[in-house]
Amino acid sequence: MTKRQNPNPEFDLFIPLMGDLPLKDQRETMERPFFSLQKRKRVKPIEYSSPDGETWVKIEAIPAYGMATIWDADILIWAASTLNRMREQGVNDLPRTLRTTSYDLLRAIKRDTSGRAYQELQAALQRLQTTSISTSIRAPKRRTKAGFNWLDKWTLEVDPDTDQPRGMTITLSDWVYEGIMGERSLLTMHQDYFLLTGGLERALYRIARKHAGNQKGGWTCRVEVLRDKTGSDSKPKEFNRMLRKVVEADQLPDYAMHMAATADGSPAVLFRLRGEAEALALTAKLAPVHCRDTDSR
């Protein structure tokens, strides 16, 4: 995990940047472990079930490509953000297939545009198309489940003379498309989300954005529940170590994190909006003075 840095500090007037487009992500995928948190190939399935057993998710990968990662999900965020803008502009018949260029997409999700970046983009598209998801989310009955991949298909055009990438298309699966189109199905994300370099950081931000939102007083979650929600395959001791590093670094957009405890003493994390957290920190600095005055009476 490293401090957030923008890999594209130069401003290009001719490229539509995501800074001009509110980032949007699907509520249903933000709080549950749909993606691998590691960049190395993961083939071990992710299996998650809510405490009440009503909601479950199973993610499986094929060995040739591995599981879609939380960085690959940036492409889905771009798609959701683009479709949401088109809807706000009054476009009718929003398409499942989106057209762009490799260059524009990489710039939009704050990636560099080197030859390696284009190779990584193709690998990401392959993982999004081949990762298999089954879930009870949106199931009308408890025993009903849905199965899908993130993308139905994709294309990358290459210039026959220069062998350089040109246009590209991605076709969202029905499940993903319907989720984006649903009323109140999207949440706005901070523009710096794409600059988070750690997989755990990204997962924690998505979880906090979904659960903590703008609520006063923040949101407290048990560490063991956070481990389940992120889909981390690290052992509890290692997960706790990584979590504390994220808390100490304090790099999440929007939210400050503090180690805490629940009423029964279980280790937990408190997520609080940064403005509120800073105000409370200032109050805490002044509090000891007032306490001494009270105690001296």
Side-chain angles (χ1 to χ4, degrees):
M1 181 187 70
T2 58
K3 188 172 182 179
R4 300 195 302 272
Q5 296 180 349
N6 189 340
N8 296 304
E10 304 86 2
F11 181 73
D12 188 336
L13 290 174
F14 302 98
I15 300 300
L17 299 176
M18 287 295 270
D20 303 323
L21 182 67
L23 289 191
K24 298 288 182 178
D25 199 4
Q26 294 187 61
R27 294 172 181 267
E28 294 169 322
T29 64
M30 293 177 74
E31 62 174 312
R32 300 175 182 110
F34 280 95
F35 302 97
S36 170
L37 304 187
Q38 57 199 34
K39 290 189 175 180
R40 67 179 184 276
K41 184 188 293 186
R42 173 170 177 165
V43 295
K44 178 183 176 182
I46 294 176
E47 295 188 70
Y48 166 83
S49 181
S50 61
D52 61 8
E54 290 291 329
T55 302
W56 57 266
V57 173
K58 184 174 183 179
I59 316 296
E60 297 176 282
I62 63 173
Y65 299 113
M67 185 180 296
T69 73
I70 201 164
W71 294 273
D72 299 341
D74 291 354
I75 297 172
L76 302 178
I77 294 174
W78 171 84
S81 305
T82 299
L83 285 170
N84 184 71
R85 177 177 64 178
M86 294 170 67
R87 177 165 52 188
E88 291 178 342
Q89 292 175 338
V91 176
N92 295 321
D93 300 323
L94 296 176
R96 275 203 305 131
T97 298
L98 297 173
R99 303 179 185 278
T100 184
T101 67
S102 304
Y103 180 83
D104 287 355
L105 178 56
L106 288 171
R107 289 298 303 271
I109 60 178
K110 293 185 168 61
R111 307 284 178 87
D112 65 51
T113 53
S114 64
R116 181 177 178 181
Y118 288 108
Q119 294 174 356
E120 292 175 347
L121 175 60
Q122 179 170 326
L125 294 171
Q126 290 172 328
R127 287 189 292 267
L128 289 169
Q129 186 183 15
T130 58
T131 296
S132 175
I133 304 100
S134 54
T135 180
S136 63
I137 296 174
R138 294 189 220 149
K141 298 180 180 178
R142 181 166 182 167
R143 294 186 178 276
T144 303
K145 65 180 181 180
F148 61 95
N149 305 92
W150 297 113
L151 300 180
D152 276 359
K153 61 182 179 180
W154 54 271
T155 65
L156 282 176
E157 297 178 20
V158 177
D159 189 298
D161 297 321
T162 65
D163 204 34
Q164 294 298 310
R166 295 194 305 190
M168 63 174 290
T169 67
I170 61 171
T171 301
L172 303 172
S173 68
D174 284 338
W175 194 93
V176 174
Y177 178 79
E178 290 168 3
I180 294 172
M181 292 297 99
E183 185 178 359
R184 297 179 59 82
S185 64
L186 302 179
L187 281 176
T188 301
M189 301 174 70
H190 196 284
Q191 291 290 330
D192 284 352
Y193 171 77
F194 286 147
L195 302 181
L196 291 174
T197 57
L200 181 57
E201 289 175 291
R202 284 170 162 247
L204 290 171
Y205 173 79
R206 289 157 64 92
I207 292 168
R209 181 66 188 90
K210 171 61 174 65
H211 287 288
N214 298 322
Q215 64 178 294
K216 184 177 181 180
W219 174 69
T220 300
C221 185
R222 295 172 185 264
V223 170
E224 61 182 302
V225 174
L226 279 178
R227 181 170 176 268
D228 289 341
K229 282 182 170 291
T230 62
S232 173
D233 62 351
S234 299
K235 295 186 180 301
K237 184 176 181 180
E238 175 63 12
F239 179 80
N240 292 347
R241 184 191 67 80
M242 295 189 298
L243 180 62
R244 288 184 177 276
K245 286 188 66 175
V246 175
V247 172
E248 292 169 3
D250 192 29
Q251 289 292 307
L252 292 193
D254 291 326
Y255 301 99
M257 297 172 60
H258 306 279
M259 298 306 300
T262 59
D264 63 3
S266 299
V269 174
L270 169 64
F271 297 86
R272 193 190 298 274
L273 281 171
R274 287 197 175 275
E276 184 181 48
E278 291 165 0
L280 288 174
L282 179 60
T283 301
K285 289 182 180 180
L286 300 176
V289 175
H290 298 301
C291 289
R292 286 195 297 270
D293 289 344
T294 302
D295 293 340
S296 64
R297 292 176 184 173

